[in-house]
Amino acid sequence: MTIGTNTVVDFFGTPDDLASSSAAVADAAFSIASDVAQWTNDDDAEMASIVLSGTWAVAPDAGGSVALYARLMNIDGTGDQDIPSANYRHKSLGRFPVKDVTSAQLTAIDIDLPNNYSSQVYEFYIQNNAGQTISAGWKLVVTPKAPGAHA
């Protein structure tokens, strides 16, 4: 089937690998700020596809997941939103389901991007709810996306 003119399709920005020096994250714990690089939404996209790549030395629990959070930076001049924690789970963006295997896992989810200003800067965090420690070296890749008319 050919996609007709003016049909809404997705347009994609450049994928950004936020790899930094991600440390292991214990079960029920949050990652730390230095685990991934900050990301600037220079496309002002309203949504993105984000991929989590990670491994576990011990198989995660069946039905486990990894939650994704964002810290919005510079939302009041140079003032930043608080870092997500067990007592402050804002801003939740979604969950990556995980399998109960130790091999490398790649999971993509679509997220809404809560933009507070043009070229919003984000600091992403994960909370490991998989039942076992996620190994150091996990990474996130963000691809901004937007709907638009097919030419």
Side-chain angles (χ1 to χ4, degrees):
M1 176 179 119
T2 302
I3 297 175
T5 302
N6 295 325
T7 300
V8 175
V9 296
D10 286 335
F11 289 90
F12 298 90
T14 302
D16 292 311
D17 184 342
L18 304 184
S20 183
S21 56
S22 63
V25 181
D27 181 48
F30 283 80
S31 60
I32 58 175
S34 62
D35 278 337
V36 295
Q38 289 183 353
W39 180 69
T40 302
N41 184 6
D42 49 17
D43 290 317
D44 289 333
E46 293 182 9
M47 63 183 105
S49 174
I50 190 161
V51 176
L52 170 68
S53 171
T55 59
W56 284 258
V58 176
D61 295 346
S65 65
V66 174
L68 178 67
Y69 293 88
R71 178 183 185 202
L72 304 180
M73 309 303 286
N74 308 316
I75 59 174
D76 184 15
T78 59
D80 305 325
Q81 181 175 315
D82 289 335
I83 294 173
S85 67
N87 297 324
Y88 184 73
R89 297 178 190 263
H90 185 76
K91 171 70 173 143
S92 176
L93 298 179
R95 295 190 176 282
F96 300 95
V98 298
K99 292 181 71 174
D100 54 346
V101 297
T102 58
S103 56
Q105 297 189 42
L106 288 168
T107 306
I109 60 172
D110 285 341
I111 62 170
D112 291 329
L113 293 170
N115 295 314
N116 192 54
Y117 57 87
S118 182
S119 294
Q120 173 73 57
V121 178
Y122 298 85
E123 205 169 70
F124 291 105
Y125 293 81
I126 62 169
Q127 181 187 25
N128 180 11
N129 299 308
Q132 300 294 333
T133 298
I134 187 171
S135 301
W138 57 270
K139 71 176 186 173
L140 296 173
V141 175
V142 180
T143 305
K145 58 190 269 187
H150 184 269

